[in-house]
């Protein structure tokens, strides 16, 4: 790794800066949606249900496209998927600006969501390729940027910065093209020697990690523990974030408390991925993520108890705790995949794990809604707390794959 560092003519942290910039732009396609959905619905003349379907399509495409993008990146470097992501995201914003029907809007969100997914997998795996130390911190910086840039742009979007809905989206198209093209120029992967016939090699002299392709990864029990935990983190976390206002209303808390809780969880979510992700470099990935999920579970349970009792300040604090300790998995799991399965195929391997978000989204939407209608808000969120706690406990059972005999 030291020789690979010297092959760069600049600091590795510039790679993180470039990845973070592109990641932030990718995040706009998800986080800015709440601001553009109303004008878009008016423009294409559609219903609330159709707009919801379009957003689901964004998430689904963003998740699915990460595997092919990661596969290409691991074999040909980051520039091809980054340039493809830039083209697709730019086209997505342009398409939305001129969409005249749900069908054309659907094509636009498929393009934009695909571009965002390609950028995401390239950016989040860059620290794994270049860092032995500070992996958690570097990945935390990139992951946090996924939401941070949007927080700065959303007020401008709601104010329609260039006068009209169409011009605002064209502004985002230009911004996507420029930021992602800059990232494509900066980003690169270290040169790794390959062995004949594609046999596994030991490229990390510190951990002596075998290089696993995704077909090998899914044969290890450690992967399925991580996968199950990731389904829960996405499912329960998205349920908390997406239904927090309604949950507060059900607890008969004031509108001000609901708004404060919704704002604080966004800040806590972004802070946790950076702070706790950075701490994992010192405390260890397994210990940090397992403890973090247990604390998130306590926060959710505390929100139920305090909300039911009408103790608003404690409710807000508990929501912040739940969000702060839920998010670090998005910084730690990419580094853990690289640590256990090697850095050569880290992009495709993490993309395989990331498909868990599809099932998590299904739980957060349809399953959670059905559960709430059957057993009520408090019990549903307590079930979520229990699941989050079980996810944390399951992580503690994981042992390094390199200590096992592989077939």
């Amino acid at each position: 790794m030291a020789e690979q560092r010297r092959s760069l003519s600049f600091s590795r942290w510039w790679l993180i800066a470039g990845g973070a910039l592109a990641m932030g732009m990718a995040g706009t396609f998800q986080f800015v949606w709440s601001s553009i959905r109303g004008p878009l619905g008016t423009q294409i003349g559609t219903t609330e249900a159709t707009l919801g379907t379009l957003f689901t399509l964004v998430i689904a495409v963003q998740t699915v496209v990460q595997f092919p993008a990661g596969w290409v990146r691991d074999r040909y470097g980051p520039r091809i998927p980054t340039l493809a992501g830039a083209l697709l995201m730019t086209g997505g914003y342009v398409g939305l600006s001129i969409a005249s029907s749900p069908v054309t809007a659907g094509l636009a969100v498929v393009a934009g969501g695909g571009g965002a997914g390609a950028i995401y997998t390239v950016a989040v795996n860059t620290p794994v390729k270049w860092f032995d130390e500070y992996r958690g911190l570097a990945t935390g910086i990139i992951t946090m940027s996924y939401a941070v840039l949007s927080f700065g742009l959303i007020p401008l979007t709601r104010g329609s910065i260039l006068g009209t809905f169409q011009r605002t989206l064209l502004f985002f198209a230009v911004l996507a093209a420029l930021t992602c093209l800059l990232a494509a120029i900066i980003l690169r992967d270290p040169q790794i020697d390959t062995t004949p016939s594609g046999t596994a090699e030991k490229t990390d002299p510190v951990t002596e990690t075998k290089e696993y392709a995704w077909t090998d990864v899914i044969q290890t029990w450690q992967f399925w523990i991580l996968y199950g935990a990731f389904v829960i983190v996405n499912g329960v976390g998205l349920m908390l974030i997406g239904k927090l206002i309604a949950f507060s209303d059900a607890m008969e808390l004031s509108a001000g408390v609901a708004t404060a809780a919704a704002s604080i969880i966004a800040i806590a979510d972004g802070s946790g991925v950076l702070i706790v992700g950075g701490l994992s470099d010192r405390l260890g990935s397994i210990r940090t993520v397992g403890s973090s999920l247990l604390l998130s579970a306590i926060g959710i349970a505390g929100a139920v108890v305090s909300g039911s009792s009408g103790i608003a300040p404690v409710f807000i604090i508990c929501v912040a705790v739940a969000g702060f300790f839920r998010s670090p998995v998005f910084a730690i799991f990419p580094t853990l995949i690289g640590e256990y399965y090697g850095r050569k195929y880290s992009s495709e391997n993490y993309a395989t794990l990331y498909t868990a978000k599809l099932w998590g989204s299904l739980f957060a939407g349809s399953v959670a809604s059905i559960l709430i209608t059957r057993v009520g808000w408090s019990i549903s969120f307590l079930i979520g707390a229990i699941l989050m706690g079980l996810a944390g406990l399951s992580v503690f059972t994981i042992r390094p794959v390199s200590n096992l005999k592989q077939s």
Side-chain angles (χ1 to χ4, degrees):
M1 182 58 69
E3 293 180 358
Q4 294 163 352
R5 291 171 191 161
R6 287 194 294 269
S7 68
L8 279 176
S9 58
F10 50 86
S11 169
R12 292 172 297 160
W13 291 101
W14 283 109
L15 301 175
I16 302 304
L21 186 63
M23 177 70 104
M25 199 62 224
T28 63
F29 219 86
Q30 176 175 320
F31 288 101
V32 174
W33 180 264
S34 61
S35 298
I36 69 173
R37 66 195 311 276
L40 177 64
T42 301
Q43 177 173 293
I44 64 178
T46 193
T47 63
E48 174 68 25
T50 301
L51 289 172
T53 300
L54 289 174
F55 181 69
T56 300
L57 194 59
V58 171
I59 302 299
V61 173
Q62 179 187 7
T63 303
V64 172
V65 82
Q66 290 196 36
F67 181 82
W71 189 94
V72 171
R73 187 263 177 84
D74 287 334
R75 288 157 180 79
Y76 303 105
R79 288 182 178 172
I80 293 176
T82 302
L83 288 172
L87 180 63
L88 287 170
M89 263 208 299
T90 302
Y93 274 123
V94 171
L96 286 175
S97 73
I98 61 175
S100 57
S101 69
V103 173
T104 53
L107 293 174
V109 300
V110 166
I119 296 297
Y120 185 102
T121 196
V122 168
V124 81
N125 284 284
T126 294
V128 177
K129 301 288 187 182
W130 283 100
F131 286 75
D132 289 323
E133 77 291 4
Y134 304 121
R135 275 187 185 179
L137 176 62
T139 309
I141 291 171
I142 286 180
T143 309
M144 182 182 68
S145 69
Y146 187 69
V148 167
L149 182 60
S150 294
F151 290 139
L153 291 175
I154 284 173
L156 299 178
T157 307
R158 293 181 68 84
S160 198
I161 53 178
L162 297 181
T164 67
F165 173 69
Q166 290 79 12
R167 289 178 181 176
T168 299
L169 290 187
L170 290 175
F171 169 81
F172 274 89
V174 172
L175 196 61
L178 293 177
T179 55
C180 294
L181 285 174
L182 179 61
I185 294 172
I186 295 174
L187 294 178
R188 62 204 65 190
D189 285 345
Q191 297 297 316
I192 300 177
D193 295 332
T194 57
T195 58
S197 71
T199 55
E201 58 177 316
K202 295 177 181 178
T203 60
D204 191 334
V206 178
T207 61
E208 296 187 344
T209 302
K210 176 182 175 180
E211 299 290 354
Y212 293 78
W214 75 272
T215 51
D216 302 314
V217 168
I218 62 174
Q219 297 179 48
T220 65
W221 63 268
Q222 290 92 335
F223 172 79
W224 293 108
I225 295 292
L226 292 172
Y227 196 90
F230 209 37
V231 170
I232 292 173
V233 168
N234 279 286
V236 177
L238 290 173
M239 178 180 75
L240 178 64
I241 295 170
K243 301 181 186 298
L244 182 56
I245 298 295
F247 177 51
S248 301
D249 292 340
M251 297 295 100
E252 298 184 351
L253 298 171
S254 69
V257 171
T259 300
S263 299
I264 199 68
I265 196 173
I267 297 172
D269 196 270
S271 301
V273 76
L274 176 63
I275 296 172
V276 182
L279 286 175
S280 69
D281 294 320
R282 294 180 175 272
L283 302 179
S285 298
I286 294 297
R287 180 186 305 171
T288 304
V289 77
S291 301
S292 180
L293 293 181
L294 288 174
L295 289 170
S296 180
I298 293 172
I300 297 172
V304 173
V305 174
S306 59
S308 300
S309 303
I311 309 174
V314 177
F315 175 80
I316 294 173
I317 292 172
C318 287
V319 166
V321 168
F324 183 85
F325 287 108
R326 178 199 78 98
S327 62
V329 297
F330 295 98
I332 297 173
F333 273 14
T335 68
L336 196 58
I337 288 291
E339 178 184 339
Y340 278 17
Y341 300 111
R343 56 168 56 93
K344 184 177 181 181
Y345 303 112
S346 61
S347 296
E348 69 179 55
N349 291 339
Y350 183 65
T352 303
L353 177 68
Y354 200 82
T355 60
K357 186 174 182 178
L358 286 174
W359 312 114
S361 299
L362 178 63
F363 175 85
S366 302
V367 175
S369 295
I370 294 172
L371 191 62
I372 289 166
T373 59
R374 296 289 179 85
V375 300
W377 286 93
S378 294
I379 294 179
S380 297
F381 273 75
L382 284 175
I383 291 173
I386 292 171
L387 289 173
M388 191 73 83
L390 291 175
L393 291 174
S394 71
V395 171
F396 283 113
T397 68
I398 299 176
R399 298 294 179 269
V401 180
S402 56
N403 290 345
L404 303 177
K405 293 182 179 180
Q406 300 295 325
S407 57

